[in-house]
Structures are given as C-alpha cells and as structure tokens.
Amino acid sequence: MSKKFLKRLGIYAGVLVVLAAIVLTVLWQFLTSYELSRPERAMDQFFATTNQEYWITQFSSILNPNLSEFETEEDYFDTLYEKFFKGATFSYTPSSQYTDESPKYTVRSNGTTIATVCLKEDPNGKVGFGLNSWFVEAIYAVDFMSGSEETVVVTAPSTSKVTLNGIELDEKYITNANVSYDNLNQFEMTEGYDAPYRVTYTVPGLYMQPDVVVADAQLIISDGLVFDYCHQNMGAYDVAITVPANSTVTVGGVTVDADMFTAGNAYAGFKDLGSILSKIPATQTLNLEGFTLVPVIEVKDFKGNILTADENGVYAPAESEELKNKCESMILTFANDYISFTTNLTNAPYTAYATLEKHLYIGSNFQSRIKQSVADMEWVYNVRNTIHDISAFDFVEYSDGVATCSLHIAVTSTTNYESREIDNTYTLALIKVKGTWKIASMEKQ
C-alpha cells in the first residue's frame, strides 16, 4: 500500500471524525433543546417549586366546598393538605384532553386525582431548533373530597348537652327522639313513668374527624363516626321510703298504688284510740328495687303539702300553721287547767275537772282516767304552783279532723309536805268534734 493512499485515508478519516463530532454536537444540542421543550420538564419544574402554602392558596381560591355548620374552610383546607399534600408522592399522566398543542395532565397525590394542570407554550422560551419551553397556564382543582363526606351518629342521654366541634346540636339533627334502655325495671316501664332515655343525633356532610362532647354522660362506644353514650352511674337503685298514711307518692311521675305500700307504725298519741278512730294515723313504707337510675320521688300529704325526707328516707308530716292558729290558745288554756286540776290548786277538784272536761274528747281513755282521779285530788291541799313554761308546738294534721301537737310543761308545785318539779313534754292527740278540736290523749315523749 502506497504512502499516498495512506495519506488520503488519514485525511478522509479526520474529516469523518470532525463531521461525526459536529453531528454529535448538533445532536446533543437538539436533544437538550428537545428535553427542555418537553411538557414533562415543565411539570417537573412546577412540582419542584410548590409547597404547602402554594397548594392551600390554590385550592382555597379555586374550590368552594359545601361545608356544614360544624366545619370551617380553614379547617377543611388544613385537613386537605395534611391528607393529600404533606409528604405525599405526586404523579401526573396525560389527561384524556391531552394534545401536543395543548398538553393537559392529570395530577395525583398518593393515587388520588387532585387537579388538572394545563400547559402553554412559552413564545419567549426559545430553547433552540425552533423549539420552545412550556409554562403552567392554569390549574383546575378537582373537588376530590366530594363524595368522601362522612355521617356522624351520636346517641346520648336526653338530659345531656351534646356539642360537635364546639357547636351544640339542636333538634333538627335528632333522628330518634326516644331511644329506650333495655334494662328498666317493671315500675320504670309503667305507662307515664318518666324513664331515662336517650336521643340519637345524625349529622351528615363532615370531612374531618369530629370532636364530640356529651355533658354528664358515660361513653360506651366510639369508632370515630358512631358515638354511643349512656347516663352516668347507671346501676341497680332501690326506693325505700317511709311516709305518713294518706300521702300521695309519685315515683318518676307515676302515682304509686295504695296496695304497693306496707303498713308501718302508729304515730305517737294514737295507740289507745282504736275505739274512736277507724283509721289510726300511721306510717307506711314503700320498697321498690332495681331502678336503672335514681328516680325522682315526690311525697305530698293529704292536703297537698310537699314533704321532705331525712337521710333515712323518712318523710315527716308537715307542720300546719293553720292548725296552730286554731288550736294553740285552746292547748295553752288546757295546760293551765290541767296543772290546776292535777295539783288540786283550787281545792275544788270537781269544779276543776268540769273546767278541764271542756277540752277533752268525751269517751276517750284519757278523759275517763282523768274523771276517775277526781276523788284522789281531795287529799292534796295547800298547793302553790310556780309555772316556768307552757308552750305548744309541732302542730301536725294527719287527715281531716285528726291531728297532734306537742306540749311542754315546766312547773314547780309545792305543798306543806313536799315540792315537785314537773318538766315534761307530751304528745297530744287532737280530734275535731262538731267543728271543735278536742284532746283525745296525752302521752309523755
């Protein structure tokens, strides 16, 4: 092979290398321009520059969510960001409206479609070879939260105040106004009984986890959407009370039948009056067991006066100012006459008894005993009495024409032979005879 040929071959090779370098350079520049002109590059750059504030601004200005009264737009968009933007993996694919002249991309956040991004060719974004770059012309947010609304159901005691996200639920959200308990006792199931019950509220259209607060109630179930509450301290409560006979007793708004009471003890002052009274004033007891909640109990005497129980559930008869006004003067007169008779102050026992008898119920054991003691009084004489106190109190009426009161007597009685200190409190049984109150018994307390 000649040197001349080799020289030419070298020249040709060099030219080819130069041409190849030029071609590669042009190709590289074209590929670079092409890469810069690809819509996907604009999308990548776009997502590289977005942050939390950007997305909240975009979606809050574009979307107009139909929110309930329990959620604010600020909370809504904060939740939207937390669920779909913060730390999310974004992806985009050409949308169904994609064209080379007008690229449109469907944007997804962790697989959820959130927006459509529309690109537009930038006439000033020359990148070579007649190619231009792209920029984001418009973003069309997708209301991707629509259809994901949740319904919250709260069942709570009827007496409880229920708030959702700090707002009290009113009647328009009630879907069941009477949810009964299944463990009521027999009396609680009586018609008209004010039994404890619950109310169900249903609140649709919530996007966020609600904050439910039910006052004075105990939570049973909560899965984030269904909340079930019951009354506090539910258990087996018993009713054990003692009331005056002839009382009207209501438990939970229901009047207790007479046959549900057990007869108790006669009140002081009436034990010897069985021959006079067909119904001796006495107590009666009521025992009912197994109430779901402590029932509301109301006790009234025969005149409708509301009675109050002591710590043992005993309802004392009501004092009567009216009875006191009618009888106090008579009782005080009786007390003076009684002291005069029993001490033979006047040395005239028969006359003293006749004065005393005007206050007595004729035919009672008390009246009979006093009358039988008249002759014994004659052996007492030269009496001097010093009265320290005579007072009447605790006037109580048990039924029409039947009552009691308390009488305190404090007196010093002296004769030529002795001095007696009398300081006693008595219970007097009072019975009305033809419109006038009479004393039928006198028992020392």
Side-chain angles (χ1 to χ4, degrees):
M1 183 177 296
S2 67
K3 292 181 178 180
K4 186 177 181 179
F5 175 77
L6 292 174
K7 184 177 180 180
R8 289 177 178 175
L9 181 61
I11 292 172
Y12 291 146
V15 171
L16 290 174
V17 170
V18 172
L19 290 174
I22 293 172
V23 171
L24 289 175
T25 299
V26 172
L27 180 61
W28 175 259
Q29 291 177 344
F30 174 78
L31 291 175
T32 300
S33 297
Y34 175 77
E35 182 64 28
L36 293 174
S37 70
R38 292 177 65 240
E40 288 83 355
R41 180 175 179 83
M43 292 294 293
D44 291 339
Q45 291 176 332
F46 167 69
F47 279 108
T49 60
T50 57
N51 55 25
Q52 175 181 356
E53 289 72 21
Y54 173 86
W55 283 110
I56 290 180
T57 300
Q58 288 295 316
F59 277 78
S60 61
S61 62
I62 296 172
L63 294 182
N64 184 25
N66 183 23
L67 300 177
S68 71
E69 63 180 301
F70 304 99
E71 296 176 327
T72 65
E73 285 197 358
E74 181 180 0
D75 293 334
Y76 173 85
F77 289 112
D78 285 347
T79 300
L80 182 148
Y81 174 78
E82 289 292 329
K83 285 185 175 182
F84 297 100
F85 296 108
K86 185 177 180 180
T89 300
F90 293 97
S91 62
Y92 58 87
T93 56
S95 73
S96 58
Q97 291 87 30
Y98 182 96
T99 65
D100 291 339
E101 293 75 20
S102 180
K104 293 182 175 64
Y105 289 90
T106 297
V107 179
R108 293 181 175 85
S109 171
N110 289 341
T112 299
T113 300
I114 64 171
T116 297
V117 176
C118 300
L119 303 183
K120 185 175 182 179
E121 193 172 23
D122 186 358
N124 298 318
K126 306 295 184 181
V127 293
F129 297 95
L131 300 176
N132 294 334
S133 60
W134 298 86
F135 68 93
V136 175
E137 179 186 26
I139 299 174
Y140 298 99
V142 176
D143 191 0
F144 53 89
M145 295 278 275
S146 179
S148 63
E149 303 94 328
E150 301 286 1
T151 296
V152 172
V153 179
V154 182
T155 300
S158 59
T159 54
S160 295
K161 175 183 177 181
V162 182
T163 61
L164 193 154
N165 294 341
I167 299 176
E168 184 175 0
L169 297 181
D170 57 30
E171 293 181 353
K172 68 183 179 183
Y173 293 103
I174 295 177
T175 52
N176 190 339
N178 192 344
V179 181
S180 61
Y181 287 103
D182 57 6
N183 53 347
L184 302 178
N185 74 357
Q186 185 174 356
F187 196 88
E188 288 174 303
M189 291 186 289
T190 303
E191 183 179 357
Y193 184 86
D194 186 17
Y197 65 96
R198 299 182 298 160
V199 173
T200 296
Y201 302 86
T202 302
V203 183
L206 296 179
Y207 292 96
M208 290 157 276
Q209 177 65 44
D211 178 23
V212 175
V213 177
V214 180
D216 302 321
Q218 178 181 342
L219 179 64
I220 303 174
I221 299 172
S222 171
D223 65 359
L225 293 175
V226 176
F227 298 83
D228 200 351
Y229 288 81
C230 68
H231 286 78
Q232 286 182 317
N233 303 321
M234 293 182 65
Y237 294 93
D238 299 334
V239 172
I241 60 175
T242 299
V243 302
N246 301 319
S247 297
T248 299
V249 179
T250 60
V251 179
V254 175
T255 301
V256 180
D257 292 336
D259 58 5
M260 300 185 72
F261 292 93
T262 301
N265 301 314
Y267 282 106
F270 295 100
K271 65 179 181 181
D272 294 330
L273 301 182
S275 60
I276 297 174
L277 297 175
S278 58
K279 291 185 178 180
I280 300 295
T283 63
Q284 55 185 11
T285 58
L286 175 66
N287 290 286
L288 299 173
E289 299 179 344
F291 285 82
T292 304
L293 294 177
V294 178
V296 177
I297 300 172
E298 184 178 74
V299 179
K300 295 181 179 180
D301 66 12
F302 78 102
K303 283 194 170 183
N305 300 308
I306 296 178
L307 306 183
T308 303
D310 64 14
E311 60 184 9
N312 297 315
V314 177
Y315 288 80
E319 294 186 33
S320 173
E321 191 68 23
E322 180 183 2
L323 180 66
K324 180 179 179 180
N325 293 335
K326 290 181 179 180
C327 295
E328 184 177 27
S329 177
M330 182 271 289
I331 297 299
L332 297 179
T333 301
F334 160 79
N336 280 283
D337 294 343
Y338 180 78
I339 294 171
S340 178
F341 172 77
T342 56
T343 61
N344 197 27
L345 180 66
T346 62
N347 289 323
Y350 287 95
T351 301
Y353 170 74
T355 300
L356 184 63
E357 187 184 65
K358 293 184 296 185
H359 310 298
L360 305 180
Y361 186 96
I362 305 303
S364 66
N365 291 338
F366 179 53
Q367 180 261 331
S368 298
R369 288 197 304 270
I370 290 179
K371 186 175 183 179
Q372 292 171 4
S373 66
V374 173
D376 296 333
M377 296 297 104
E378 293 181 315
W379 298 98
V380 181
Y381 50 89
N382 293 333
V383 175
R384 298 176 300 279
N385 290 333
T386 302
I387 295 177
H388 306 294
D389 178 63
I390 296 177
S391 55
F393 49 94
D394 291 343
F395 287 83
V396 175
E397 197 169 359
Y398 295 95
S399 61
D400 288 328
V402 179
T404 61
C405 74
S406 295
L407 172 65
H408 178 247
I409 295 176
V411 60
T412 301
S413 182
T414 61
T415 66
N416 293 336
Y417 305 103
E418 64 178 347
S419 177
R420 289 190 301 157
E421 295 292 338
I422 302 171
D423 191 346
N424 293 317
T425 301
Y426 304 90
T427 297
L428 307 184
L430 309 176
I431 299 176
K432 188 183 290 186
V433 180
K434 296 180 180 180
T436 302
W437 288 97
K438 301 292 184 177
I439 299 170
S441 72
M442 182 174 180
E443 294 181 11
K444 184 186 294 185
Q445 293 183 3

